[in-house]
Amino acid sequence: MRRHLRLLAAATTAATLLALGAITQVTTASAAAEPLSQGRPVTTSSTEFGWSTGAAAVDGDPGTRWSSAAADNQWIRVDLGSVQAIDRVVLDWEAAYASGFRIETSADGAAWSTVYSTTTGTGGDQNLDVDGTGRYLRLWVTQRATQWGVSLWELQVFGAGGGTPTDASLLSYGKQGSASSSQNDGNCWLCSPDKAFDLDPASRWAVSPDTGWVDDGWIAVDLGAAAHVTSVVLQWDPAFATAFDIEVSDDGTTWRTVHSTTNGTGFKQTVPLDADGRHVRVHMRDRSGPYGYSLWEFQVYGTGGAPTAPPAEPADPDFDDLDLVWSDEFNGPAGAAADGSRWTIDAGLPQNNEQQVYTPSGNGFQDGQGNFVLEARREDRDGRQYTSHRMNTSNKFHAQYGRFEARVKVPEGRGLWPAFWMMGSDFLDGRPWPYNGEIDIMEFIGQNPTQAHSTLHAPAYNGGGGYGGAYALPDGSKISDGFHTWAAEWDSEGIQFSLDGRDVFYADRDTVESTRGPWVYDHEFYLILNLAVGGDWPGPPDASTPFPSRMLVDYVRVYQ
């Protein structure tokens, strides 16, 4: 995977700098094993500088660090994404180290177990053998060795990896389930219990607003036969439970509590269990807000039961060994329309309060020099002052996973909004946006010519709250001055966005599920090219906006 290659590159760079005497800090961890903590989400008690964040301690770069405020009882916590067996922790201290600290693990981020403690820490490189399990690992500083705070070049966590036993399987898929109540209205249509067991991260169960917005509520699943339950995964909607029990039953009537918490965090929670029963229930006792309870997914793992095998997903691509599976090089004659075997022209009125109308012809054409032109014009049509072009590969080409790239020259000018993006193909079958998912590989706002954006949109994070990042060229020059290649490398673990071969933003699945909401991208998508005028984000054009304005596309390519 590309992120593994970035780790190797960082390690190689560090070794070179060390040989040159440029740095003196280097981790003692073996290069053969990637830390479980590498690139994982981190929270801290404090940071000393804006650049000394907790993420710098798990980025694999021995030249970046986390540093705390100058006080005792500082801490750094890393989310490993799932419950892991942990056997080693490596600490690479800066000069401001801790003489007293403890290392703790937790399955839920609330109840902690100490796996290592010392009052005679020496700083430097510490390679500590531990024996623990947990999704979260926390380093808690009880005593500083200097008058400053504490600072770590690297915090690395090692273990066998994998929180769910290899012989465990998903037992709850396709089960109907039952619940205290269910919602079915314009705000949550057919939000019945089975939606929590369908492996569809864009469908959910919710309690009824008429009877269920009270502190007590539950959802249960019949596994079909006696089972040994090893873990439960809960992907919460923002209406989550701060206090809940997980219960098992042999008959669906008499329940035994096997897990209890009063510190539910919402988002994705993985709860390790060692319990036997045919029925599993989440009994919710305290709401996080004024609404009820809602779960996108309630997954039960273990052995036994009467499991139904879920549909097989395509294998993750090997990004070092890809084949070109679809492309358009736009080598047609000047004035030729888009290839109808590849593209569907998406004419009509726009969304997002855009001001153009997309025409069925005329605003999109090949220039005879190997480019496709999407041209925005100032002209009256269908009650609008501007026309432009949008086209997509719907019903022509859909794909799941791979590398999707386009070489594009974007136009500069207030109110111009060119984009290269993808929509979940289930949109064509009637699933509304954003439940189908949207992957914006490139968006550009014409009045900000040095910056571009890559963003994901889903039910729990969309519009202005989408999950993404903004970036610029290394030299800060205008992106609109020339052609650039945008790409997304997408697999079941995340999406790496790049500009001209330089990684600019990584959307990690575990991070999204743990901090934003469901990952809704494990299905086919289709490609879209468009040049919008105006809209909620860029605002309207003005007298300075050049018309006609052109978005030029040299090629679009897909590799799998």
Side-chain angles (χ1 to χ4, degrees):
M1 299 297 179
R2 284 187 62 92
R3 58 184 173 281
H4 296 165
L5 296 176
R6 291 197 298 276
L7 175 66
L8 179 61
T12 303
T13 301
T16 302
L17 291 172
L18 182 61
L20 295 173
I23 61 175
T24 58
Q25 303 294 331
V26 64
T27 179
T28 59
S30 168
E34 179 176 316
L36 301 173
S37 50
Q38 187 75 36
R40 302 299 311 165
V42 172
T43 54
T44 62
S45 54
S46 64
T47 55
E48 184 181 10
F49 307 108
W51 48 264
S52 62
T53 63
V58 296
D59 62 359
D61 183 347
T64 62
R65 61 186 173 95
W66 164 67
S67 59
S68 77
D72 292 331
N73 294 311
Q74 301 296 310
W75 53 266
I76 179 171
R77 185 184 81 170
V78 58
D79 179 355
L80 304 178
S82 62
V83 175
Q84 306 283 344
I86 300 167
D87 56 25
R88 187 160 57 98
V89 174
V90 174
L91 304 174
D92 187 5
W93 294 100
E94 200 248 353
Y97 69 95
S99 56
F101 64 90
R102 61 180 183 265
I103 296 173
E104 305 167 319
T105 60
S106 172
D108 57 8
W112 295 89
S113 300
T114 300
V115 295
Y116 180 87
S117 181
T118 185
T119 58
T120 58
T122 58
D125 296 331
Q126 292 187 271
N127 196 334
L128 308 174
D129 292 326
V130 300
D131 183 10
T133 60
R135 171 175 174 167
Y136 302 89
L137 182 135
R138 182 169 69 183
L139 171 71
W140 189 288
V141 174
T142 56
Q143 179 64 55
R144 293 166 292 147
T146 72
Q147 73 270 34
W148 312 111
V150 291
S151 183
L152 280 168
W153 296 103
E154 285 293 302
L155 164 62
Q156 296 179 320
V157 182
F158 293 88
T164 302
T166 56
D167 61 345
S169 59
L170 178 61
L171 306 180
S172 53
Y173 171 69
K175 308 303 181 187
Q176 289 298 309
S178 57
S180 53
S181 67
S182 297
Q183 187 171 0
N184 184 16
D185 55 31
N187 293 317
C188 197
W189 183 62
L190 293 179
C191 290
S192 49
D194 60 295
K195 301 302 190 297
F197 307 112
D198 61 1
L199 279 185
D200 182 344
S203 67
R204 62 186 172 101
W205 162 76
V207 293
S208 167
D210 299 323
T211 61
W213 287 6
V214 295
D215 285 336
D216 195 64
W218 56 268
I219 180 172
V221 60
D222 180 355
L223 302 178
H228 179 67
V229 179
T230 56
S231 66
V232 164
V233 177
L234 305 173
Q235 182 77 60
W236 295 96
D237 179 72
F240 68 93
T242 56
F244 64 89
D245 300 328
I246 296 178
E247 304 165 331
V248 296
S249 173
D250 300 322
D251 57 9
T253 301
T254 303
W255 296 91
R256 304 181 297 276
T257 299
V258 294
H259 174 82
S260 183
T261 183
T262 58
N263 297 294
T265 58
F267 296 115
K268 185 176 183 179
Q269 292 184 266
T270 300
V271 181
L273 296 172
D274 183 9
D276 296 298
R278 172 171 173 160
H279 305 260
V280 182
R281 181 169 75 173
V282 181
H283 189 174
M284 291 151 274
R285 296 181 283 105
D286 194 7
R287 293 169 291 153
S288 59
Y291 304 105
Y293 304 107
S294 183
L295 281 165
W296 297 100
E297 284 290 311
F298 172 12
Q299 298 172 358
V300 180
Y301 291 86
T303 57
T308 299
E313 293 286 353
D316 282 333
D318 177 357
F319 291 117
D320 295 322
D321 185 21
L322 296 175
D323 296 319
L324 182 67
V325 297
W326 185 94
S327 68
D328 197 335
E329 304 296 324
F330 302 115
N331 289 325
D339 183 347
S341 68
R342 291 182 171 91
W343 299 97
T344 297
I345 306 306
D346 197 1
L349 297 176
Q351 298 83 35
N352 307 308
N353 291 314
E354 298 162 20
Q355 297 182 20
Q356 82 291 327
V357 59
Y358 291 118
T359 64
S361 62
N363 291 78
F365 52 89
Q366 302 190 56
D367 67 359
Q369 301 178 46
N371 304 308
F372 190 83
V373 179
L374 294 85
E375 185 170 87
R377 303 169 183 165
R378 191 193 302 271
E379 59 183 0
D380 294 332
R381 182 155 182 163
D382 297 339
R384 304 274 172 159
Q385 293 182 300
Y386 306 96
T387 61
S388 192
H389 186 75
R390 181 170 68 187
M391 61 188 189
N392 63 64
T393 65
S394 63
N395 300 313
K396 312 284 187 180
F397 177 76
H398 303 176
Q400 179 176 346
Y401 304 157
R403 177 180 171 88
F404 302 76
E405 72 173 41
R407 186 170 182 264
V408 182
K409 186 177 187 296
V410 293
E412 179 180 346
R414 179 166 295 277
L416 298 177
W417 187 2
F420 167 47
W421 50 299
M422 300 196 292
M423 281 278 275
S425 299
D426 48 356
F427 180 77
L428 304 171
D429 299 323
R431 169 161 278 181
W433 182 93
Y435 294 88
N436 61 307
E438 177 180 328
I439 302 171
D440 296 334
I441 302 174
M442 178 276 289
E443 289 183 284
F444 178 83
I445 303 303
Q447 61 263 41
N448 298 319
T450 63
Q451 191 175 76
H453 306 259
S454 298
T455 312
L456 301 181
H457 299 273
Y461 46 96
N462 57 75
Y467 184 73
Y471 45 86
L473 295 172
D475 62 1
S477 61
K478 290 184 179 181
I479 294 174
S480 53
D481 280 349
F483 280 91
H484 297 282
T485 301
W486 279 270
E489 292 189 344
W490 165 35
D491 61 20
S492 65
E493 297 181 10
I495 304 174
Q496 177 66 67
F497 297 95
S498 64
L499 172 60
D500 296 334
R502 179 175 60 91
D503 292 345
V504 292
F505 177 71
Y506 182 63
D508 176 72
R509 177 188 188 134
D510 289 341
T511 300
V512 170
E513 291 178 331
S514 300
T515 62
R516 302 300 292 269
W519 180 263
V520 298
Y521 312 101
D522 289 336
H523 59 100
E524 290 189 338
F525 279 63
Y526 60 91
L527 299 161
I528 306 173
L529 292 166
N530 75 289
L531 172 56
V533 180
D536 294 328
W537 190 6
D542 61 17
S544 69
T545 307
F547 287 102
S549 279
R550 291 183 167 187
M551 172 184 176
L552 303 180
V553 184
D554 180 16
Y555 62 77
V556 180
R557 297 170 184 167
V558 179
Y559 301 85
Q560 290 184 316

